[in-house]
Amino acid sequence: MSKIVAIDGPAGSGKGTVAKILAQECNLTYIDTGAMYRAIAYASLQNNIDISEEEKIVELAKNSKIDFIDGKTYLNGKDISKEIRTMEVTRIVSPISSIVKLREILVDMQREMAGNLDVIMEGRDITTVVFPNATYKFYLDATLDERANRRYKENKEKGMEVTLDEIKENISKRDYNDMHKEVGSLTRTEDAIYIDSTNLTIDEVVEKMKNIIEV
Ligand code: DC
């Protein structure tokens, strides 16, 4: 039986960072589902499709091939790792991810990607929709202020000029939208192990999770 480690949590909770480290240390394939929604958001922008044109976005997703190779995200063979992290994409990704038919396509893709591999998959609906029977389920959290600060620092290191207020507003809007979706909304379930990372270092979070998944 393959091992599935599922992690959900709001933007900036540290899911991506810890999942990448755990993937390396525990020999798991890392699947970043947020990057997949971002890839479709990016493709919509490239094709001048408005977020209200749901059918066109769904069509676009049907014709999209998303791959993760060596820590990079590819859309139809093109490396789009940097492009999907821009504020332009970040602003529209949450409403795009509310499109129910798009979610069906990406959830199928995510299950297919996992196949028979041992995976660590992170997102918003992994513990609830994609793999409700995952081997280990985690919900990673942190306060809004802490999450905004983390993103602000990350962006600054990458040379992106976005103010802390702008990031906080974006995260807060995404939190609301991600928690109030018709399908696949971010929900903390009772059977997921809850970790509040507000006052923890990345290493401390990794250690906590490692102790659980390595038994
Ligand atoms: O994790 P992230 O910030 O890269 O995710 C980008 C957006 O995609 C986020 O606002 C919500 C959406 N998303 C989702 O709806 N379901 C997932 N499994 C992962 C992300």
Side-chain angles (χ1 to χ4, degrees), residues 8-9 11-12 15 32-35 37-38 85 90 93-94 97-98 103 110 122-126 130 151 174 178 181 184:
D8 285 327
K15 304 178 304 276
D32 173 0
T33 64
Y37 289 94
R38 286 173 181 273
R85 302 289 158 195
T90 304
V93 65
S94 189
S97 71
S98 303
R103 301 199 68 85
Q110 288 151 15
E122 52 104 349
R124 304 292 188 289
D125 62 340
I126 314 306
V130 185
R151 268 296 133 83
R174 282 208 286 150
D178 291 341
K181 279 177 194 155

Side-chain angles (χ1 to χ4, degrees), residues 1-3 111-119:
M1 262 265 291
S2 53
K3 189 190 264 187
R111 291 186 182 136
E112 208 172 294
M113 271 183 183
N116 294 318
L117 303 169
D118 289 333
V119 299

Side-chain angles (χ1 to χ4, degrees), residues 24-91:
Q24 285 259 329
E25 296 189 0
C26 305
N27 209 15
L28 303 163
T29 299
Y30 170 49
I31 301 173
D32 173 0
T33 64
M36 298 169 74
Y37 289 94
R38 286 173 181 273
I40 303 305
Y42 167 75
S44 306
L45 285 173
Q46 288 295 98
N47 288 280
N48 292 317
I49 299 174
D50 188 79
I51 53 170
S52 62
E53 297 178 287
E54 300 197 357
E55 277 173 24
K56 283 191 185 170
I57 296 172
V58 170
E59 253 338 280
L60 197 62
K62 279 185 190 160
N63 297 312
S64 296
K65 191 176 176 311
I66 302 170
D67 296 292
F68 295 112
I69 306 165
D70 293 335
K72 294 201 170 99
T73 309
Y74 289 81
L75 175 67
N76 300 326
K78 185 182 171 235
D79 179 5
I80 52 155
S81 312
K82 284 212 179 81
E83 289 83 344
I84 58 171
R85 302 289 158 195
T86 60
M87 222 38 207
E88 224 185 341
V89 168
T90 304
R91 271 190 211 105

Side-chain angles (χ1 to χ4, degrees), residues 95-134:
I96 281 190
S97 71
S98 303
I99 304 170
V100 175
K101 280 200 177 128
L102 169 67
R103 301 199 68 85
E104 286 170 9
I105 295 167
L106 293 190
V107 166
D108 281 348
M109 234 186 248
Q110 288 151 15
R111 291 186 182 136
E112 208 172 294
M113 271 183 183
N116 294 318
L117 303 169
D118 289 333
V119 299
I120 184 158
M121 190 180 281
E122 52 104 349
R124 304 292 188 289
D125 62 340
I126 314 306
T127 63
T128 53
V129 176
V130 185
F131 288 118
N133 298 317

